[in-house]
Amino acid sequence: MNRLIILMLVAVVASGCADAGTSSSGNGLAIEEFSISDNTLQPEQQANLQVILKNYNENPTTLNEISIVNEGELEVSDKQCSSDEIRAAREDLYPQISCSWTVTAPGQEFVEGFESKDTPLKLRVDYSTEFENSEPLKVDFQPLSEIESSETRSTSFSNGEVSVTAEAESPSSVDSPENIQITAQNSGPGNVEGNYNFSYSPPELFDCPGSQNPVVDEEVEFSCPVESGTEGVRNLFITTSYKYVKSPNLDISVVNNQ
């Protein structure tokens, strides 16, 4: 019994450490459904393709593209969407939109000599969005002569697609700039396309780049000076914006009916 209690206490403590300084705002823009009414088609048969998107991001999200790519021998037509725009999430309300297409299988010649042939479809959802740390990175600015020692303060935040970590020393000298270390990386099921863009608050404290281009593994890491000019604790916020692409596949087979 004593051993069980000890293990439970260790688990609770470990959980608390893992959650410290970390915040999350959901799952970004999620593909709730990507399905077809019949994924085993006979030649020239038609079926209905359905996509449902739900936005968990509490910041603005711009839909750049919702399309079916890699059609192969299938004919995809008659696209209809409930909207071209999607609102931000608010108070546990997660807006969604739906799109549908008509899919027509190729003729008998496509499966001639085969029992069936696979011809998958790929969905491309391309959108731009942003998010920031809900918990500030708190840095205490003091005169250098009064600083005896400093420690690293950090905050990590994610929206289910991109994760950002910011670290700074506190107390920090009010007389000379100290660097803040920022890391952003893809942590979701899609791909970051192009640069990560950053804005900072309060803006007058930061001498940091507005954009960074990932070179390896869709990750950027950089440092830049932060300077207050006045004494006291300042709450630092970082807004990260990016373009994200999700491209799931849907398996479809055409069967020989002869």
Side-chain angles (χ1 to χ4, degrees), residues 38-45 74 105-119 252-258:
D38 190 345
N39 60 3
T40 303
L41 303 178
Q42 297 185 16
E44 300 184 7
Q45 180 185 344
L74 298 170
Q108 177 65 31
E109 65 278 1
F110 177 69
V111 289
E112 200 68 48
F114 297 88
E115 291 186 3
S116 66
K117 290 179 71 173
D118 296 332
T119 176
I252 298 174
S253 297
V254 181
V255 297
N256 194 335
N257 60 359
Q258 294 184 354

Side-chain angles (χ1 to χ4, degrees), residues 99-152:
C99 293
S100 64
W101 295 259
T102 298
V103 176
T104 305
Q108 177 65 31
E109 65 278 1
F110 177 69
V111 289
E112 200 68 48
F114 297 88
E115 291 186 3
S116 66
K117 290 179 71 173
D118 296 332
T119 176
L121 287 176
K122 181 185 291 290
L123 172 69
R124 178 180 172 89
V125 179
D126 173 337
Y127 55 97
S128 303
T129 190
E130 63 182 39
F131 70 111
E132 70 174 11
N133 47 313
S134 57
E135 296 295 330
L137 175 60
K138 293 180 178 290
V139 178
D140 184 11
F141 291 90
Q142 298 180 9
L144 182 60
S145 59
E146 297 182 10
I147 298 176
E148 296 182 358
S149 63
S150 295
E151 63 178 2
T152 301

Side-chain angles (χ1 to χ4, degrees), residues 25-30 32 54-59 88-89 94-95 159:
S25 59
N27 302 304
L29 181 65
E32 294 288 293
K54 182 178 288 187
N55 194 15
Y56 293 88
N57 200 335
E58 296 178 356
N59 291 294
Y94 306 114
N159 67 347

